Amino acid sequence: MMAAGPSISRRTFAIGALGTCAMVGLGGAKYLPTQPAVRPPGGQDEVWLTSTCIHCEKCREVCPQGAISPAHLEQGILSIRTPRMDFKKGWCDFCEEEPGGPRCIAVCPTHALQNVDPETTVIGIAVLNRDWCLAARGMGCHECVDACEYEALELGYDHVPVVDNDACNGCGACELACISLSSGSITAGATDRAIIVVPEELIEEG
């Protein structure tokens, strides 16, 4: 049974209802993100999130790590200003020190972010690009491994980080810690850090 959250005003309910109607009118699923975003805890159901989020950004405001940002057009028309994780700014510790669990879920007025079990929730999976990785270039880097608190990363036989998909929950600490773009490791075509977190469904599809 869902725990009681902030009350929903008539105006808030109306806005959420309009969002749902718009989704149906625009064709629903085909307008979902073209570049899937990593969502905050409880936001892994894209259809539910995009149809109930009212873009209030309360989740972003209360995130103690500053790891939530509004989605942009590349995530799809209906995803604009919905919450996405930005691990270049912070990482998600699921507010483990908070008695009520993740603050983003507690503050959401429409339950677009649904209650979850922080012990089992997976918001994404880390993926390593060896071509951009300092360790793979023989520079002895293991910043991402040191940052992981869930034992989801270890150095392989060639001293390059290896991701354990079964242990990774997508917290983003590794991406935040990665120094590949700031330590002389930029290679031709490099556009991001060597390790990034992607939505779990992309791993399943791959």
Side-chain angles (χ1 to χ4, degrees):
M1 182 175 181
M2 183 175 292
S7 60
I8 304 176
S9 67
R10 290 183 180 180
R11 177 177 179 276
T12 296
F13 179 81
I15 293 174
L18 285 174
T20 303
C21 291
M23 187 172 192
V24 173
L26 290 173
K30 71 176 182 179
Y31 282 92
L32 288 177
T34 53
Q35 293 182 11
V38 178
R39 302 297 191 176
Q44 282 61 59
D45 185 333
E46 281 288 335
V47 174
W48 176 259
L49 177 69
T50 54
S51 63
T52 55
C53 175
I54 59 172
H55 313 143
C56 66
E57 299 192 23
K58 290 182 181 295
C59 55
R60 177 186 64 78
E61 294 169 0
V62 301
C63 179
Q65 300 289 342
I68 299 177
S69 292
H72 302 302
L73 183 60
E74 58 265 29
Q75 272 83 49
I77 294 175
L78 291 182
S79 282
I80 294 176
R81 291 185 60 214
T82 58
R84 66 179 179 88
M85 302 306 296
D86 185 350
F87 297 127
K88 293 174 179 59
K89 295 181 178 179
W91 66 290
C92 181
D93 63 358
F94 297 86
C95 296
E96 58 185 6
E97 300 299 324
E98 297 291 325
R103 291 186 183 180
C104 56
I105 294 176
V107 78
C108 181
T110 62
H111 299 300
L113 299 179
Q114 304 176 76
N115 286 331
V116 296
D117 179 357
E119 297 294 326
T120 59
T121 298
V122 174
I123 61 177
I125 299 292
V127 174
L128 179 76
N129 185 327
R130 291 179 61 98
D131 292 338
W132 301 348
C133 179
L134 284 170
R137 294 164 65 84
M139 298 178 70
C141 181
H142 47 78
E143 296 289 334
C144 59
V145 176
D146 293 343
C148 181
E149 296 187 359
Y150 298 95
E151 299 184 354
L153 277 168
E154 64 179 7
L155 294 178
Y157 70 93
D158 55 357
H159 304 292
V160 176
V162 176
V163 180
D164 180 350
N165 289 356
D166 292 331
C168 182
N169 64 4
C171 75
C174 57
E175 182 174 338
L176 179 65
C178 181
I179 58 174
S180 65
L181 288 181
S182 61
S183 299
S185 67
I186 298 179
T187 59
T191 58
D192 211 331
R193 300 180 185 185
I195 189 165
I196 62 172
V197 176
V198 302
E200 189 177 18
E201 61 265 26
L202 294 187
I203 300 296
E204 294 173 350
E205 291 174 2

